[in-house]
PDB file of all heavy atoms in Angstrom:
ATOM      1  N   ALA A  28     -12.862   3.441   6.706  1.00  0.00           N
ATOM      2  CA  ALA A  28     -12.100   3.956   5.555  1.00  0.00           C
ATOM      3  C   ALA A  28     -13.022   4.701   4.605  1.00  0.00           C
ATOM      4  O   ALA A  28     -12.700   5.766   4.093  1.00  0.00           O
ATOM      5  CB  ALA A  28     -11.365   2.866   4.861  1.00  0.00           C
ATOM      6  N   ALA A  29     -14.176   4.122   4.282  1.00  0.00           N
ATOM      7  CA  ALA A  29     -15.098   4.772   3.382  1.00  0.00           C
ATOM      8  C   ALA A  29     -15.663   6.068   3.912  1.00  0.00           C
ATOM      9  O   ALA A  29     -15.961   6.991   3.157  1.00  0.00           O
ATOM     10  CB  ALA A  29     -16.217   3.814   3.047  1.00  0.00           C
ATOM     11  N   ALA A  30     -15.840   6.132   5.231  1.00  0.00           N
ATOM     12  CA  ALA A  30     -16.345   7.339   5.839  1.00  0.00           C
ATOM     13  C   ALA A  30     -15.420   8.515   5.732  1.00  0.00           C
ATOM     14  O   ALA A  30     -15.827   9.667   5.593  1.00  0.00           O
ATOM     15  CB  ALA A  30     -16.667   7.097   7.297  1.00  0.00           C
ATOM     16  N   ALA A  31     -14.094   8.296   5.793  1.00  0.00           N
ATOM     17  CA  ALA A  31     -13.125   9.391   5.698  1.00  0.00           C
ATOM     18  C   ALA A  31     -13.215  10.016   4.288  1.00  0.00           C
ATOM     19  O   ALA A  31     -13.446  11.213   4.161  1.00  0.00           O
ATOM     20  CB  ALA A  31     -11.736   8.848   5.977  1.00  0.00           C
ATOM     21  N   ASP A  32     -12.931   9.293   3.276  1.00  0.00           N
ATOM     22  CA  ASP A  32     -12.991   9.730   1.881  1.00  0.00           C
ATOM     23  C   ASP A  32     -13.184   8.493   1.064  1.00  0.00           C
ATOM     24  O   ASP A  32     -12.326   7.612   1.086  1.00  0.00           O
ATOM     25  CB  ASP A  32     -11.757  10.503   1.507  1.00  0.00           C
ATOM     26  CG  ASP A  32     -11.791  10.926  -0.053  1.00  0.00           C
ATOM     27  OD1 ASP A  32     -12.610  10.427  -0.765  1.00  0.00           O
ATOM     28  OD2 ASP A  32     -10.926  11.778  -0.360  1.00  0.00           O
ATOM     29  N   PRO A  33     -14.248   8.387   0.318  1.00  0.00           N
ATOM     30  CA  PRO A  33     -14.525   7.190  -0.418  1.00  0.00           C
ATOM     31  C   PRO A  33     -13.505   6.790  -1.427  1.00  0.00           C
ATOM     32  O   PRO A  33     -13.334   5.656  -1.824  1.00  0.00           O
ATOM     33  CB  PRO A  33     -15.881   7.395  -1.068  1.00  0.00           C
ATOM     34  CG  PRO A  33     -16.174   8.834  -0.900  1.00  0.00           C
ATOM     35  CD  PRO A  33     -15.332   9.379   0.118  1.00  0.00           C
ATOM     36  N   PHE A  34     -12.600   7.741  -1.825  1.00  0.00           N
ATOM     37  CA  PHE A  34     -11.560   7.445  -2.815  1.00  0.00           C
ATOM     38  C   PHE A  34     -10.178   7.323  -2.179  1.00  0.00           C
ATOM     39  O   PHE A  34      -9.231   7.120  -2.933  1.00  0.00           O
ATOM     40  CB  PHE A  34     -11.577   8.504  -3.897  1.00  0.00           C
ATOM     41  CG  PHE A  34     -12.821   8.520  -4.701  1.00  0.00           C
ATOM     42  CD1 PHE A  34     -13.823   9.487  -4.463  1.00  0.00           C
ATOM     43  CD2 PHE A  34     -13.100   7.561  -5.637  1.00  0.00           C
ATOM     44  CE1 PHE A  34     -15.013   9.491  -5.190  1.00  0.00           C
ATOM     45  CE2 PHE A  34     -14.271   7.593  -6.365  1.00  0.00           C
ATOM     46  CZ  PHE A  34     -15.202   8.527  -6.127  1.00  0.00           C
ATOM     47  N   ASP A  35     -10.025   7.367  -0.896  1.00  0.00           N
ATOM     48  CA  ASP A  35      -8.731   7.237  -0.236  1.00  0.00           C
ATOM     49  C   ASP A  35      -8.107   5.872  -0.543  1.00  0.00           C
ATOM     50  O   ASP A  35      -6.900   5.815  -0.793  1.00  0.00           O
ATOM     51  CB  ASP A  35      -8.817   7.384   1.299  1.00  0.00           C
ATOM     52  CG  ASP A  35      -8.808   8.822   1.730  1.00  0.00           C
ATOM     53  OD1 ASP A  35      -8.543   9.715   0.881  1.00  0.00           O
ATOM     54  OD2 ASP A  35      -9.029   9.079   2.921  1.00  0.00           O
ATOM     55  N   ARG A  36      -8.886   4.792  -0.519  1.00  0.00           N
ATOM     56  CA  ARG A  36      -8.298   3.494  -0.775  1.00  0.00           C
ATOM     57  C   ARG A  36      -7.777   3.366  -2.183  1.00  0.00           C
ATOM     58  O   ARG A  36      -6.715   2.792  -2.446  1.00  0.00           O
ATOM     59  CB  ARG A  36      -9.317   2.388  -0.501  1.00  0.00           C
ATOM     60  CG  ARG A  36      -9.671   2.277   0.985  1.00  0.00           C
ATOM     61  CD  ARG A  36     -10.638   1.229   1.244  1.00  0.00           C
ATOM     62  NE  ARG A  36      -9.974  -0.109   0.964  1.00  0.00           N
ATOM     63  CZ  ARG A  36     -10.553  -1.185   1.010  1.00  0.00           C
ATOM     64  NH1 ARG A  36     -11.890  -1.292   1.263  1.00  0.00           N
ATOM     65  NH2 ARG A  36      -9.924  -2.344   0.779  1.00  0.00           N
ATOM     66  N   ALA A  37      -8.506   3.967  -3.154  1.00  0.00           N
ATOM     67  CA  ALA A  37      -8.023   3.960  -4.555  1.00  0.00           C
ATOM     68  C   ALA A  37      -6.699   4.716  -4.692  1.00  0.00           C
ATOM     69  O   ALA A  37      -5.778   4.247  -5.361  1.00  0.00           O
ATOM     70  CB  ALA A  37      -9.119   4.471  -5.525  1.00  0.00           C
ATOM     71  N   ALA A  38      -6.670   5.899  -4.072  1.00  0.00           N
ATOM     72  CA  ALA A  38      -5.451   6.743  -4.141  1.00  0.00           C
ATOM     73  C   ALA A  38      -4.269   6.042  -3.559  1.00  0.00           C
ATOM     74  O   ALA A  38      -3.162   6.020  -4.124  1.00  0.00           O
ATOM     75  CB  ALA A  38      -5.683   8.051  -3.482  1.00  0.00           C
ATOM     76  N   PHE A  39      -4.478   5.337  -2.385  1.00  0.00           N
ATOM     77  CA  PHE A  39      -3.418   4.649  -1.682  1.00  0.00           C
ATOM     78  C   PHE A  39      -2.929   3.456  -2.600  1.00  0.00           C
ATOM     79  O   PHE A  39      -1.738   3.237  -2.714  1.00  0.00           O
ATOM     80  CB  PHE A  39      -3.875   4.163  -0.350  1.00  0.00           C
ATOM     81  CG  PHE A  39      -2.852   3.372   0.415  1.00  0.00           C
ATOM     82  CD1 PHE A  39      -1.749   3.979   0.983  1.00  0.00           C
ATOM     83  CD2 PHE A  39      -2.981   1.992   0.540  1.00  0.00           C
ATOM     84  CE1 PHE A  39      -0.791   3.227   1.642  1.00  0.00           C
ATOM     85  CE2 PHE A  39      -2.053   1.270   1.183  1.00  0.00           C
ATOM     86  CZ  PHE A  39      -0.909   1.866   1.749  1.00  0.00           C
ATOM     87  N   PHE A  40      -3.889   2.745  -3.154  1.00  0.00           N
ATOM     88  CA  PHE A  40      -3.565   1.599  -3.971  1.00  0.00           C
ATOM     89  C   PHE A  40      -2.736   2.068  -5.184  1.00  0.00           C
ATOM     90  O   PHE A  40      -1.752   1.399  -5.598  1.00  0.00           O
ATOM     91  CB  PHE A  40      -4.795   0.845  -4.445  1.00  0.00           C
ATOM     92  CG  PHE A  40      -4.496  -0.358  -5.258  1.00  0.00           C
ATOM     93  CD1 PHE A  40      -4.131  -1.546  -4.654  1.00  0.00           C
ATOM     94  CD2 PHE A  40      -4.482  -0.297  -6.632  1.00  0.00           C
ATOM     95  CE1 PHE A  40      -3.722  -2.659  -5.432  1.00  0.00           C
ATOM     96  CE2 PHE A  40      -4.183  -1.380  -7.422  1.00  0.00           C
ATOM     97  CZ  PHE A  40      -3.793  -2.586  -6.808  1.00  0.00           C
ATOM     98  N   LEU A  41      -3.140   3.169  -5.805  1.00  0.00           N
ATOM     99  CA  LEU A  41      -2.382   3.677  -6.995  1.00  0.00           C
ATOM    100  C   LEU A  41      -0.941   4.029  -6.600  1.00  0.00           C
ATOM    101  O   LEU A  41       0.007   3.732  -7.322  1.00  0.00           O
ATOM    102  CB  LEU A  41      -3.114   4.903  -7.607  1.00  0.00           C
ATOM    103  CG  LEU A  41      -2.361   5.568  -8.726  1.00  0.00           C
ATOM    104  CD1 LEU A  41      -2.161   4.579  -9.932  1.00  0.00           C
ATOM    105  CD2 LEU A  41      -3.114   6.777  -9.236  1.00  0.00           C
ATOM    106  N   THR A  42      -0.753   4.662  -5.485  1.00  0.00           N
ATOM    107  CA  THR A  42       0.583   4.993  -4.998  1.00  0.00           C
ATOM    108  C   THR A  42       1.427   3.717  -4.778  1.00  0.00           C
ATOM    109  O   THR A  42       2.587   3.655  -5.206  1.00  0.00           O
ATOM    110  CB  THR A  42       0.472   5.774  -3.679  1.00  0.00           C
ATOM    111  OG1 THR A  42      -0.292   6.995  -3.942  1.00  0.00           O
ATOM    112  CG2 THR A  42       1.856   6.205  -3.148  1.00  0.00           C
ATOM    113  N   CYS A  43       0.792   2.668  -4.170  1.00  0.00           N
ATOM    114  CA  CYS A  43       1.464   1.399  -3.995  1.00  0.00           C
ATOM    115  C   CYS A  43       1.823   0.717  -5.308  1.00  0.00           C
ATOM    116  O   CYS A  43       2.895   0.169  -5.453  1.00  0.00           O
ATOM    117  CB  CYS A  43       0.629   0.480  -3.085  1.00  0.00           C
ATOM    118  SG  CYS A  43       0.489   1.022  -1.417  1.00  0.00           S
ATOM    119  N   LEU A  44       0.915   0.791  -6.251  1.00  0.00           N
ATOM    120  CA  LEU A  44       1.184   0.188  -7.549  1.00  0.00           C
ATOM    121  C   LEU A  44       2.333   0.854  -8.250  1.00  0.00           C
ATOM    122  O   LEU A  44       3.233   0.199  -8.813  1.00  0.00           O
ATOM    123  CB  LEU A  44      -0.128   0.258  -8.425  1.00  0.00           C
ATOM    124  CG  LEU A  44       0.009  -0.357  -9.820  1.00  0.00           C
ATOM    125  CD1 LEU A  44       0.387  -1.839  -9.748  1.00  0.00           C
ATOM    126  CD2 LEU A  44      -1.313  -0.121 -10.553  1.00  0.00           C
ATOM    127  N   ILE A  45       2.343   2.212  -8.257  1.00  0.00           N
ATOM    128  CA  ILE A  45       3.464   2.956  -8.832  1.00  0.00           C
ATOM    129  C   ILE A  45       4.744   2.591  -8.163  1.00  0.00           C
ATOM    130  O   ILE A  45       5.817   2.369  -8.822  1.00  0.00           O
ATOM    131  CB  ILE A  45       3.187   4.476  -8.805  1.00  0.00           C
ATOM    132  CG1 ILE A  45       2.018   4.821  -9.757  1.00  0.00           C
ATOM    133  CG2 ILE A  45       4.441   5.274  -9.140  1.00  0.00           C
ATOM    134  CD1 ILE A  45       1.485   6.227  -9.605  1.00  0.00           C
ATOM    135  N   ASP A  46       4.728   2.552  -6.846  1.00  0.00           N
ATOM    136  CA  ASP A  46       5.950   2.191  -6.077  1.00  0.00           C
ATOM    137  C   ASP A  46       6.415   0.794  -6.470  1.00  0.00           C
ATOM    138  O   ASP A  46       7.593   0.555  -6.645  1.00  0.00           O
ATOM    139  CB  ASP A  46       5.648   2.223  -4.583  1.00  0.00           C
ATOM    140  CG  ASP A  46       6.807   1.883  -3.745  1.00  0.00           C
ATOM    141  OD1 ASP A  46       7.854   2.619  -3.847  1.00  0.00           O
ATOM    142  OD2 ASP A  46       6.742   0.900  -2.982  1.00  0.00           O
ATOM    143  N   SER A  47       5.515  -0.171  -6.562  1.00  0.00           N
ATOM    144  CA  SER A  47       5.797  -1.529  -6.906  1.00  0.00           C
ATOM    145  C   SER A  47       6.480  -1.574  -8.305  1.00  0.00           C
ATOM    146  O   SER A  47       7.518  -2.353  -8.541  1.00  0.00           O
ATOM    147  CB  SER A  47       4.534  -2.406  -6.878  1.00  0.00           C
ATOM    148  OG  SER A  47       4.847  -3.683  -7.374  1.00  0.00           O
ATOM    149  N   LEU A  48       5.936  -0.888  -9.280  1.00  0.00           N
ATOM    150  CA  LEU A  48       6.447  -0.892 -10.603  1.00  0.00           C
ATOM    151  C   LEU A  48       7.772  -0.119 -10.778  1.00  0.00           C
ATOM    152  O   LEU A  48       8.488  -0.255 -11.752  1.00  0.00           O
ATOM    153  CB  LEU A  48       5.402  -0.369 -11.623  1.00  0.00           C
ATOM    154  CG  LEU A  48       4.191  -1.238 -11.770  1.00  0.00           C
ATOM    155  CD1 LEU A  48       3.145  -0.507 -12.616  1.00  0.00           C
ATOM    156  CD2 LEU A  48       4.497  -2.597 -12.391  1.00  0.00           C
ATOM    157  N   SER A  49       8.070   0.762  -9.746  1.00  0.00           N
ATOM    158  CA  SER A  49       9.280   1.542  -9.808  1.00  0.00           C
ATOM    159  C   SER A  49      10.467   0.927  -9.090  1.00  0.00           C
ATOM    160  O   SER A  49      11.590   1.431  -9.202  1.00  0.00           O
ATOM    161  CB  SER A  49       8.992   2.897  -9.096  1.00  0.00           C
ATOM    162  OG  SER A  49       7.957   3.577  -9.773  1.00  0.00           O
ATOM    163  N   ARG A  50      10.232  -0.169  -8.367  1.00  0.00           N
ATOM    164  CA  ARG A  50      11.291  -0.784  -7.579  1.00  0.00           C
ATOM    165  C   ARG A  50      12.355  -1.322  -8.471  1.00  0.00           C
ATOM    166  O   ARG A  50      12.094  -1.807  -9.564  1.00  0.00           O
ATOM    167  CB  ARG A  50      10.730  -1.882  -6.672  1.00  0.00           C
ATOM    168  CG  ARG A  50       9.842  -1.354  -5.582  1.00  0.00           C
ATOM    169  CD  ARG A  50       9.281  -2.476  -4.807  1.00  0.00           C
ATOM    170  NE  ARG A  50       8.348  -1.916  -3.840  1.00  0.00           N
ATOM    171  CZ  ARG A  50       8.516  -1.935  -2.535  1.00  0.00           C
ATOM    172  NH1 ARG A  50       9.644  -2.539  -2.013  1.00  0.00           N
ATOM    173  NH2 ARG A  50       7.710  -1.396  -1.748  1.00  0.00           N
ATOM    174  N   PRO A  51      13.616  -1.375  -8.027  1.00  0.00           N
ATOM    175  CA  PRO A  51      14.691  -1.920  -8.821  1.00  0.00           C
ATOM    176  C   PRO A  51      14.468  -3.368  -9.274  1.00  0.00           C
ATOM    177  O   PRO A  51      14.770  -3.739 -10.380  1.00  0.00           O
ATOM    178  CB  PRO A  51      15.942  -1.842  -7.885  1.00  0.00           C
ATOM    179  CG  PRO A  51      15.580  -0.743  -6.937  1.00  0.00           C
ATOM    180  CD  PRO A  51      14.104  -0.807  -6.777  1.00  0.00           C
ATOM    181  N   GLU A  52      13.853  -4.182  -8.338  1.00  0.00           N
ATOM    182  CA  GLU A  52      13.600  -5.551  -8.709  1.00  0.00           C
ATOM    183  C   GLU A  52      12.575  -5.688  -9.860  1.00  0.00           C
ATOM    184  O   GLU A  52      12.561  -6.627 -10.664  1.00  0.00           O
ATOM    185  CB  GLU A  52      13.227  -6.419  -7.569  1.00  0.00           C
ATOM    186  CG  GLU A  52      12.120  -5.902  -6.675  1.00  0.00           C
ATOM    187  CD  GLU A  52      12.546  -4.969  -5.530  1.00  0.00           C
ATOM    188  OE1 GLU A  52      13.666  -4.502  -5.527  1.00  0.00           O
ATOM    189  OE2 GLU A  52      11.689  -4.722  -4.674  1.00  0.00           O
ATOM    190  N   ALA A  53      11.637  -4.711  -9.974  1.00  0.00           N
ATOM    191  CA  ALA A  53      10.678  -4.712 -11.047  1.00  0.00           C
ATOM    192  C   ALA A  53      11.314  -4.477 -12.404  1.00  0.00           C
ATOM    193  O   ALA A  53      10.869  -4.992 -13.425  1.00  0.00           O
ATOM    194  CB  ALA A  53       9.551  -3.705 -10.806  1.00  0.00           C
ATOM    195  N   LEU A  54      12.450  -3.697 -12.398  1.00  0.00           N
ATOM    196  CA  LEU A  54      13.164  -3.443 -13.657  1.00  0.00           C
ATOM    197  C   LEU A  54      13.837  -4.705 -14.189  1.00  0.00           C
ATOM    198  O   LEU A  54      14.234  -4.748 -15.372  1.00  0.00           O
ATOM    199  CB  LEU A  54      14.186  -2.345 -13.385  1.00  0.00           C
ATOM    200  CG  LEU A  54      13.609  -1.024 -12.963  1.00  0.00           C
ATOM    201  CD1 LEU A  54      14.743  -0.036 -12.624  1.00  0.00           C
ATOM    202  CD2 LEU A  54      12.710  -0.460 -14.029  1.00  0.00           C
ATOM    203  N   LEU A  55      13.981  -5.710 -13.321  1.00  0.00           N
ATOM    204  CA  LEU A  55      14.592  -6.942 -13.757  1.00  0.00           C
ATOM    205  C   LEU A  55      13.614  -7.997 -14.260  1.00  0.00           C
ATOM    206  O   LEU A  55      14.009  -9.017 -14.743  1.00  0.00           O
ATOM    207  CB  LEU A  55      15.472  -7.556 -12.635  1.00  0.00           C
ATOM    208  CG  LEU A  55      16.554  -6.613 -12.106  1.00  0.00           C
ATOM    209  CD1 LEU A  55      17.171  -7.238 -10.861  1.00  0.00           C
ATOM    210  CD2 LEU A  55      17.613  -6.333 -13.179  1.00  0.00           C
ATOM    211  N   LEU A  56      12.369  -7.772 -14.075  1.00  0.00           N
ATOM    212  CA  LEU A  56      11.303  -8.743 -14.453  1.00  0.00           C
ATOM    213  C   LEU A  56      11.104  -8.745 -15.947  1.00  0.00           C
ATOM    214  O   LEU A  56      11.310  -7.727 -16.650  1.00  0.00           O
ATOM    215  CB  LEU A  56       9.955  -8.345 -13.813  1.00  0.00           C
ATOM    216  CG  LEU A  56       9.893  -8.499 -12.254  1.00  0.00           C
ATOM    217  CD1 LEU A  56       8.560  -7.936 -11.719  1.00  0.00           C
ATOM    218  CD2 LEU A  56      10.089  -9.935 -11.811  1.00  0.00           C
ATOM    219  N   PRO A  57      10.697  -9.918 -16.492  1.00  0.00           N
ATOM    220  CA  PRO A  57      10.366  -9.918 -17.935  1.00  0.00           C
ATOM    221  C   PRO A  57       9.133  -8.989 -18.262  1.00  0.00           C
ATOM    222  O   PRO A  57       8.306  -8.780 -17.426  1.00  0.00           O
ATOM    223  CB  PRO A  57      10.035 -11.389 -18.177  1.00  0.00           C
ATOM    224  CG  PRO A  57      10.139 -12.112 -16.916  1.00  0.00           C
ATOM    225  CD  PRO A  57      10.536 -11.159 -15.830  1.00  0.00           C
ATOM    226  N   HIS A  58       9.144  -8.475 -19.441  1.00  0.00           N
ATOM    227  CA  HIS A  58       8.099  -7.559 -19.896  1.00  0.00           C
ATOM    228  C   HIS A  58       6.706  -8.125 -19.622  1.00  0.00           C
ATOM    229  O   HIS A  58       5.803  -7.451 -19.195  1.00  0.00           O
ATOM    230  CB  HIS A  58       8.316  -7.280 -21.363  1.00  0.00           C
ATOM    231  CG  HIS A  58       7.229  -6.463 -21.971  1.00  0.00           C
ATOM    232  ND1 HIS A  58       6.131  -6.998 -22.580  1.00  0.00           N
ATOM    233  CD2 HIS A  58       7.020  -5.113 -21.966  1.00  0.00           C
ATOM    234  CE1 HIS A  58       5.327  -6.009 -22.965  1.00  0.00           C
ATOM    235  NE2 HIS A  58       5.811  -4.874 -22.609  1.00  0.00           N
ATOM    236  N   GLU A  59       6.512  -9.440 -19.915  1.00  0.00           N
ATOM    237  CA  GLU A  59       5.214 -10.057 -19.742  1.00  0.00           C
ATOM    238  C   GLU A  59       4.783  -9.971 -18.295  1.00  0.00           C
ATOM    239  O   GLU A  59       3.592  -9.781 -18.012  1.00  0.00           O
ATOM    240  CB  GLU A  59       5.207 -11.521 -20.161  1.00  0.00           C
ATOM    241  CG  GLU A  59       5.735 -11.797 -21.567  1.00  0.00           C
ATOM    242  CD  GLU A  59       7.240 -11.920 -21.593  1.00  0.00           C
ATOM    243  OE1 GLU A  59       7.862 -12.527 -20.711  1.00  0.00           O
ATOM    244  OE2 GLU A  59       7.795 -11.356 -22.569  1.00  0.00           O
ATOM    245  N   ARG A  60       5.631 -10.169 -17.379  1.00  0.00           N
ATOM    246  CA  ARG A  60       5.281 -10.108 -15.945  1.00  0.00           C
ATOM    247  C   ARG A  60       4.952  -8.721 -15.475  1.00  0.00           C
ATOM    248  O   ARG A  60       3.976  -8.508 -14.763  1.00  0.00           O
ATOM    249  CB  ARG A  60       6.466 -10.682 -15.130  1.00  0.00           C
ATOM    250  CG  ARG A  60       6.289 -10.497 -13.648  1.00  0.00           C
ATOM    251  CD  ARG A  60       5.149 -11.385 -13.092  1.00  0.00           C
ATOM    252  NE  ARG A  60       4.872 -11.032 -11.799  1.00  0.00           N
ATOM    253  CZ  ARG A  60       5.445 -11.503 -10.682  1.00  0.00           C
ATOM    254  NH1 ARG A  60       6.325 -12.428 -10.777  1.00  0.00           N
ATOM    255  NH2 ARG A  60       5.043 -11.103  -9.471  1.00  0.00           N
ATOM    256  N   VAL A  61       5.684  -7.754 -15.971  1.00  0.00           N
ATOM    257  CA  VAL A  61       5.388  -6.345 -15.637  1.00  0.00           C
ATOM    258  C   VAL A  61       4.028  -5.941 -16.233  1.00  0.00           C
ATOM    259  O   VAL A  61       3.219  -5.277 -15.562  1.00  0.00           O
ATOM    260  CB  VAL A  61       6.478  -5.414 -16.129  1.00  0.00           C
ATOM    261  CG1 VAL A  61       6.153  -3.906 -15.927  1.00  0.00           C
ATOM    262  CG2 VAL A  61       7.802  -5.695 -15.470  1.00  0.00           C
ATOM    263  N   GLU A  62       3.745  -6.375 -17.476  1.00  0.00           N
ATOM    264  CA  GLU A  62       2.467  -6.093 -18.096  1.00  0.00           C
ATOM    265  C   GLU A  62       1.335  -6.748 -17.286  1.00  0.00           C
ATOM    266  O   GLU A  62       0.300  -6.100 -17.105  1.00  0.00           O
ATOM    267  CB  GLU A  62       2.496  -6.553 -19.548  1.00  0.00           C
ATOM    268  CG  GLU A  62       1.273  -6.196 -20.302  1.00  0.00           C
ATOM    269  CD  GLU A  62       1.303  -6.614 -21.773  1.00  0.00           C
ATOM    270  OE1 GLU A  62       2.274  -7.301 -22.154  1.00  0.00           O
ATOM    271  OE2 GLU A  62       0.408  -6.262 -22.518  1.00  0.00           O
ATOM    272  N   GLU A  63       1.531  -7.979 -16.881  1.00  0.00           N
ATOM    273  CA  GLU A  63       0.499  -8.680 -16.111  1.00  0.00           C
ATOM    274  C   GLU A  63       0.275  -7.960 -14.766  1.00  0.00           C
ATOM    275  O   GLU A  63      -0.907  -7.795 -14.409  1.00  0.00           O
ATOM    276  CB  GLU A  63       0.996 -10.094 -15.872  1.00  0.00           C
ATOM    277  CG  GLU A  63      -0.043 -10.950 -15.114  1.00  0.00           C
ATOM    278  CD  GLU A  63       0.509 -12.378 -14.870  1.00  0.00           C
ATOM    279  OE1 GLU A  63       1.007 -12.954 -15.875  1.00  0.00           O
ATOM    280  OE2 GLU A  63       0.491 -12.838 -13.711  1.00  0.00           O
ATOM    281  N   ASP A  64       1.356  -7.582 -14.086  1.00  0.00           N
ATOM    282  CA  ASP A  64       1.171  -6.857 -12.821  1.00  0.00           C
ATOM    283  C   ASP A  64       0.453  -5.559 -12.968  1.00  0.00           C
ATOM    284  O   ASP A  64      -0.443  -5.136 -12.195  1.00  0.00           O
ATOM    285  CB  ASP A  64       2.567  -6.617 -12.159  1.00  0.00           C
ATOM    286  CG  ASP A  64       3.207  -7.866 -11.631  1.00  0.00           C
ATOM    287  OD1 ASP A  64       2.475  -8.943 -11.592  1.00  0.00           O
ATOM    288  OD2 ASP A  64       4.391  -7.815 -11.269  1.00  0.00           O
ATOM    289  N   ALA A  65       0.806  -4.825 -14.051  1.00  0.00           N
ATOM    290  CA  ALA A  65       0.157  -3.556 -14.342  1.00  0.00           C
ATOM    291  C   ALA A  65      -1.341  -3.720 -14.667  1.00  0.00           C
ATOM    292  O   ALA A  65      -2.182  -2.940 -14.256  1.00  0.00           O
ATOM    293  CB  ALA A  65       0.858  -2.804 -15.524  1.00  0.00           C
ATOM    294  N   GLU A  66      -1.642  -4.730 -15.474  1.00  0.00           N
ATOM    295  CA  GLU A  66      -2.971  -5.013 -15.852  1.00  0.00           C
ATOM    296  C   GLU A  66      -3.860  -5.380 -14.611  1.00  0.00           C
ATOM    297  O   GLU A  66      -4.968  -4.894 -14.420  1.00  0.00           O
ATOM    298  CB  GLU A  66      -3.102  -6.151 -16.865  1.00  0.00           C
ATOM    299  CG  GLU A  66      -4.467  -6.428 -17.378  1.00  0.00           C
ATOM    300  CD  GLU A  66      -4.496  -7.487 -18.452  1.00  0.00           C
ATOM    301  OE1 GLU A  66      -3.437  -7.887 -18.931  1.00  0.00           O
ATOM    302  OE2 GLU A  66      -5.636  -7.959 -18.797  1.00  0.00           O
ATOM    303  N   ASN A  67      -3.306  -6.299 -13.789  1.00  0.00           N
ATOM    304  CA  ASN A  67      -4.023  -6.645 -12.577  1.00  0.00           C
ATOM    305  C   ASN A  67      -4.216  -5.516 -11.625  1.00  0.00           C
ATOM    306  O   ASN A  67      -5.291  -5.236 -11.005  1.00  0.00           O
ATOM    307  CB  ASN A  67      -3.303  -7.807 -11.828  1.00  0.00           C
ATOM    308  CG  ASN A  67      -3.396  -9.110 -12.595  1.00  0.00           C
ATOM    309  OD1 ASN A  67      -4.320  -9.316 -13.399  1.00  0.00           O
ATOM    310  ND2 ASN A  67      -2.421  -9.982 -12.372  1.00  0.00           N
ATOM    311  N   GLY A  68      -3.188  -4.656 -11.522  1.00  0.00           N
ATOM    312  CA  GLY A  68      -3.275  -3.495 -10.687  1.00  0.00           C
ATOM    313  C   GLY A  68      -4.353  -2.440 -11.227  1.00  0.00           C
ATOM    314  O   GLY A  68      -5.115  -1.854 -10.470  1.00  0.00           O
ATOM    315  N   ALA A  69      -4.377  -2.338 -12.560  1.00  0.00           N
ATOM    316  CA  ALA A  69      -5.329  -1.377 -13.132  1.00  0.00           C
ATOM    317  C   ALA A  69      -6.769  -1.883 -12.881  1.00  0.00           C
ATOM    318  O   ALA A  69      -7.669  -1.078 -12.623  1.00  0.00           O
ATOM    319  CB  ALA A  69      -5.059  -1.288 -14.650  1.00  0.00           C
TER     320      ALA A  69
END
C-alpha cells in the first residue's frame, strides 16, 4: 500500500469517515457520540 502512494490509506480513511458521518443512522446519534467519532477519526 505504501509503495503505490504513501497517502492512499489516508485518503481512503477520510472517505470512509465522511461516509460514516453521513449515514442516516449517524444522524440519530447523540451529539456527544458524533463528536467522539469525529475526534477519533481525525
Side-chain angles (χ1 to χ4, degrees):
D32 178 345
F34 295 103
D35 276 352
R36 292 182 68 187
F39 178 73
F40 182 82
L41 177 59
T42 301
C43 291
L44 180 61
I45 291 170
D46 181 60
S47 173
L48 294 171
S49 302
R50 292 177 185 248
E52 52 271 14
L54 297 175
L55 301 174
L56 293 173
H58 175 265
E59 306 83 43
R60 173 66 193 273
V61 175
E62 185 177 7
E63 182 181 312
D64 290 350
E66 184 178 349
N67 289 335

